[in-house]
Amino acid sequence: MLDRKKRIAVIGGSQPTSKEAKAAEEVGRELAKQGAILVCGGLGGVMEAACKGTIAEGGVTIGILPGDNHKTANPYVQIPIVTGMGYARNVAVVKSAQAVIAIGGSYGTLTEIAHALQSGIPVIGLNTWTISRNGQQDNSILLAESPADAVKKALALASD
Amino acid sequence: MLDRKKRIAVIGGSQPTSKEAKAAEEVGRELAKQGAILVCGGLGGVMEAACKGTIAEGGVTIGILPGDNHKTANPYVQIPIVTGMGYARNVAVVKSAQAVIAIGGSYGTLTEIAHALQSGIPVIGLNTWTISRNGQQDNSILLAESPADAVKKALALASD
Amino acid sequence: MLDRKKRIAVIGGSQPTSKEAKAAEEVGRELAKQGAILVCGGLGGVMEAACKGTIAEGGVTIGILPGDNHKTANPYVQIPIVTGMGYARNVAVVKSAQAVIAIGGSYGTLTEIAHALQSGIPVIGLNTWTISRNGQQDNSILLAESPADAVKKALALASD
Amino acid sequence: MLDRKKRIAVIGGSQPTSKEAKAAEEVGRELAKQGAILVCGGLGGVMEAACKGTIAEGGVTIGILPGDNHKTANPYVQIPIVTGMGYARNVAVVKSAQAVIAIGGSYGTLTEIAHALQSGIPVIGLNTWTISRNGQQDNSILLAESPADAVKKALALASD
C-alpha cells in the first residue's frame, strides 16, 4: 500500500479580506512544506490564495468544483475534481480531508464546518464562525493563533 | 399550472428532548392545519414527531432519506424520496422547502441551517443553534416563541 | 405505519416524439387510476406528459429537479423536490421508485435505466434503449406492448 | 495558470476477468507513460488494476469513492476523494475526466458510460457495453483494439 500524504482541506469565502487571503496563502505554503496535500473547493478567494501558497512551495492542490466545467477552477488548482453537484460538493470537500482549516467565510463555509463536525473531522478556525447550541457555546472549532499554528494543529489532529 | 401547496422543512436531531419532540409534533400539526406540506429528512426524532403531527391532521409528509432503502423512513412518512447520497441529501431537504423550521438539533441540523441560509431560504429556530461570525452574532436564524409562531413565521416568509 | 402508495418512476427524454409523449400521458393516467404515485425528473417532454396524465386522473406527481429553483418544474408537478445536484439527481429519481418505466429517451434516460438496474429496481421499456454486454444482449429491460401493459408490469414487479 | 495534466477516467467492474484486469493494468501503465492522470472510482477490480499500472510507471492516481472512509480505496490510489454519496459519485468520476476508457463492466459501468455521453465526454470501449436506441445501434462508444490504442484515442479526444 502507498504511503499516502495527509490531506488537509482549507475552506473559506470567495471574497476574503486581504488579511484572510494572506493567512490562506500562508496556510497553503505551510501545508506544502509539511508534505500535506491541499484540498479545497477549487474556486476563488481563500481557496485560490491557499492554492497559490501551496504551489509556490511545490505542493499538490486538489479543487473539488461545484459546476460542470474544470475551467472554473482557480489557476493554482493542479487537479480539478468536477462534480456538477452544486453545494452538495461541500460534503466531499471536507470528507476528502483528514482535518479542515476554516478561514473567515460565509454560509458556505459554515456548511463545510458543520459537515466536518458531523463526520468527526477536526476543524481548526482562524477568525471564522463560532457556534452555540441552546445558548451554550460549542467549542468543537479549535482556535489557531496563526496560519502556522493552524497547520500544526491540523496535522496533529488529522485522523488516520 | 397547479396551485402548489407551500412546502416547509422541519429539521432537528434524531434524539430530541421530550420538549423538542412535543414542539416538533405541534409544528407538524399546525403545518397540516395551514395546508402546507411537510418536508423532512425522513428518519426518527424530530423528523418523526413532526410527521406524526402532520399525519394526525390529515396533511402530507415527504421524507428525503440519506440511505438506499425506503423502509428506513419513519412510519409517518407518506412519500419517501430515496437518495442514497448520505448527508448530501441535507441540501435537498432544505432546497425543497420555501422556509425551514429548526428544532434543537446537532451538527446535521447545523448543516441544514447553513445550506438554507446559503440558498437564501428563511430559517426559523426553536431552541436551536445560534451562530456568530468573527465574534459578531448573525441574526439570520429568526427566533420563534412557540410551535404555532414558528409555523406562522415560516408561512409568512416562504418564498414563492 | 402508513400504508404507502406504490411509487413508479417514468423516465424519458425532454424532446419526445408525439407518439412517445402520448404514451407517457397514458402511462401517467393509468398510474393514477391504479392508485400509484408518479415520480419523475420534473422537467418537460416525457416527464411533463406523464405528469399531465396523472393529474388528469387525480393522481399525485413528484418531480425531482436537477436545478436550484422549484419554478423549473413542469406545470403538472404537484410536489417539486429541489436537489441542486444536476444529473446526480437521476440516482434519486430511480431509487425513489419501486419500478421504472422508460419511454424513448436519450443518454439521460440511459443513466437512469443503468442506475435502476444497478440498484435492482425493475425497468420496463417502451421503445427505449437496448443494451448488450460483450456482444450478448442483456434482457433486463422488460419490454411492454402498450402504456397499460407497462403500468401493469411495473406494479406487478414493484419491490416492497 | 498551471499547465494541467490530462485526466483520463478508467471505468469497469469490481470483478473483472483476468483478461480485463490485464488490459486495465496496461491502460494504467500507458496513461502514466503519456503523462496523464488516472481518475477512477477508487475501489477494486478494474479500478485497482488500472491504478496498479499507473503507479508502476510513476504516475498519479485519483480514486473518487462512494463511501465515507478513505480506507476503502484500493492500495494504489494516491489521492482518495471521499464523497459519501454512493453511486452519485459515478457522475463525478466521469465529469472529472476529459475522456473515459471503459473496460468490461456491469451496470455501474453503464451508468458511467451514459453519464459521460450525456456530458459530451468521449468514451472509448474495450469489450464493454454496446447500446441501441429503438433498435438502431448508437456508435458513440468508440472501440479500441488494445489498451495502448484506447489510451491513444482517449488522449487524442480529450477535451480541453
Side-chain angles (χ1 to χ4, degrees):
Chain A
M1 174 144 169
L2 289 173
D3 195 20
R4 286 184 192 127
K5 292 182 179 179
K6 291 217 164 145
R7 296 166 308 283
I8 306 296
V10 177
I11 62 177
S14 53
Q15 301 187 318
T17 63
S18 63
K19 197 180 156 189
E20 288 167 349
K22 203 175 151 230
E25 194 174 334
E26 279 183 60
V27 163
R29 213 180 281 271
E30 193 65 20
L31 284 172
K33 284 187 195 164
Q34 301 298 329
I37 291 174
L38 168 67
V39 175
C40 74
L43 301 178
V46 159
M47 299 169 262
E48 180 166 345
C51 288
K52 190 179 176 190
T54 296
I55 291 297
E57 294 291 340
V60 175
T61 57
I62 310 285
I64 304 180
L65 297 162
D68 283 310
N69 191 332
H70 66 93
K71 292 181 183 169
T72 58
N74 75 58
Y76 305 101
V77 168
Q78 268 173 342
I79 303 175
I81 302 296
V82 182
T83 69
M85 294 182 200
Y87 292 126
R89 75 79 150 86
N90 294 11
V91 178
V93 170
V94 298
K95 279 187 182 289
S96 295
Q98 293 157 294
V100 172
I101 298 172
I103 302 172
S106 184
Y107 297 127
T109 303
L110 184 58
T111 68
E112 293 173 316
I113 289 171
H115 280 296
L117 295 176
Q118 187 181 28
S119 296
I121 298 167
V123 178
I124 293 94
L126 276 168
N127 298 313
T128 190
W129 292 93
T130 51
I131 54 178
S132 301
R133 205 185 322 197
N134 266 329
Q136 197 87 13
Q137 185 160 328
D138 178 317
N139 294 310
S140 300
I141 305 171
L142 303 172
L143 301 184
E145 289 165 15
S146 66
D149 185 45
V151 170
K152 191 178 157 193
K153 285 186 162 119
L155 289 172
L157 291 167
S159 64
D160 241 1
Chain B
M1 175 144 166
L2 290 173
D3 196 19
R4 287 184 192 125
K5 293 183 179 177
K6 290 219 164 143
R7 297 166 306 283
I8 307 294
V10 177
I11 61 177
S14 52
Q15 300 186 319
T17 63
S18 63
K19 198 180 156 190
E20 289 167 349
K22 203 175 151 230
E25 193 173 336
E26 279 182 60
V27 163
R29 213 180 282 271
E30 193 65 20
L31 284 172
K33 285 187 193 163
Q34 302 298 330
I37 292 175
L38 169 65
V39 176
C40 72
L43 301 178
V46 159
M47 299 169 262
E48 180 165 345
C51 287
K52 191 179 176 190
T54 295
I55 291 297
E57 294 290 340
V60 175
T61 57
I62 311 284
I64 304 180
L65 297 162
D68 283 309
N69 192 333
H70 66 93
K71 292 181 183 167
T72 59
N74 75 59
Y76 306 100
V77 168
Q78 267 173 343
I79 303 175
I81 303 296
V82 181
T83 68
M85 294 183 201
Y87 292 125
R89 77 79 151 82
N90 293 12
V91 177
V93 169
V94 298
K95 279 187 181 289
S96 296
Q98 293 156 294
V100 172
I101 299 172
I103 302 171
S106 184
Y107 297 127
T109 303
L110 184 59
T111 69
E112 293 173 316
I113 289 172
H115 280 296
L117 294 176
Q118 186 180 29
S119 295
I121 299 167
V123 178
I124 293 93
L126 276 167
N127 299 313
T128 190
W129 292 93
T130 51
I131 53 179
S132 301
R133 204 185 323 196
N134 265 329
Q136 197 88 12
Q137 186 160 328
D138 178 317
N139 294 309
S140 300
I141 305 171
L142 303 172
L143 301 184
E145 289 164 14
S146 66
D149 185 46
V151 170
K152 191 178 156 194
K153 286 189 162 116
L155 289 171
L157 291 167
S159 63
D160 241 2
Chain C
M1 174 142 167
L2 289 173
D3 196 20
R4 286 184 192 126
K5 292 184 179 178
K6 291 219 164 143
R7 297 166 307 283
I8 307 294
V10 177
I11 62 177
S14 52
Q15 300 187 320
T17 64
S18 63
K19 198 180 156 190
E20 288 167 350
K22 205 178 149 228
E25 193 174 337
E26 279 183 59
V27 163
R29 214 179 281 271
E30 193 65 20
L31 284 172
K33 284 186 196 164
Q34 302 299 329
I37 291 176
L38 169 65
V39 176
C40 73
L43 301 178
V46 159
M47 299 169 262
E48 180 165 345
C51 287
K52 191 180 176 188
T54 296
I55 291 297
E57 294 291 340
V60 175
T61 57
I62 310 284
I64 303 180
L65 297 163
D68 284 309
N69 192 331
H70 66 94
K71 292 182 182 167
T72 59
N74 76 58
Y76 306 101
V77 168
Q78 268 173 342
I79 303 175
I81 302 296
V82 181
T83 69
M85 294 184 201
Y87 292 125
R89 76 81 151 82
N90 294 11
V91 177
V93 169
V94 298
K95 279 188 181 289
S96 295
Q98 293 157 293
V100 172
I101 298 173
I103 302 172
S106 185
Y107 297 127
T109 303
L110 184 59
T111 68
E112 293 173 315
I113 290 171
H115 279 296
L117 295 176
Q118 187 180 28
S119 296
I121 298 167
V123 178
I124 293 94
L126 275 168
N127 298 313
T128 189
W129 293 93
T130 51
I131 53 178
S132 301
R133 206 187 320 198
N134 266 329
Q136 197 87 11
Q137 187 161 327
D138 178 317
N139 294 310
S140 300
I141 304 171
L142 303 172
L143 302 184
E145 288 164 14
S146 66
D149 185 45
V151 170
K152 191 178 157 195
K153 286 188 161 119
L155 289 172
L157 290 167
S159 63
D160 242 1
Chain D
M1 173 143 169
L2 288 174
D3 196 20
R4 286 184 192 125
K5 292 183 179 178
K6 291 219 164 144
R7 296 166 307 284
I8 307 295
V10 177
I11 61 176
S14 53
Q15 300 187 318
T17 63
S18 63
K19 196 180 156 190
E20 288 166 350
K22 205 177 149 228
E25 193 174 335
E26 279 183 58
V27 163
R29 213 180 281 271
E30 193 65 19
L31 284 172
K33 285 186 194 164
Q34 301 299 329
I37 291 175
L38 169 66
V39 176
C40 73
L43 301 179
V46 158
M47 298 169 263
E48 180 166 344
C51 287
K52 190 179 176 188
T54 296
I55 291 297
E57 295 290 340
V60 175
T61 57
I62 310 285
I64 304 179
L65 297 163
D68 283 310
N69 192 332
H70 67 93
K71 291 182 184 168
T72 58
N74 75 58
Y76 305 101
V77 168
Q78 268 174 342
I79 304 174
I81 302 297
V82 181
T83 69
M85 295 183 200
Y87 291 126
R89 76 79 150 85
N90 294 10
V91 178
V93 169
V94 298
K95 278 187 181 290
S96 296
Q98 292 157 293
V100 172
I101 298 172
I103 301 172
S106 186
Y107 297 128
T109 303
L110 185 58
T111 68
E112 293 173 316
I113 289 172
H115 280 295
L117 295 176
Q118 187 180 28
S119 296
I121 298 167
V123 178
I124 293 93
L126 276 168
N127 299 312
T128 189
W129 291 94
T130 51
I131 54 178
S132 300
R133 204 185 324 197
N134 266 327
Q136 198 87 14
Q137 185 161 328
D138 178 317
N139 295 308
S140 300
I141 304 171
L142 303 172
L143 301 184
E145 290 165 14
S146 66
D149 185 45
V151 171
K152 190 178 157 193
K153 286 188 161 117
L155 289 172
L157 291 167
S159 64
D160 241 2

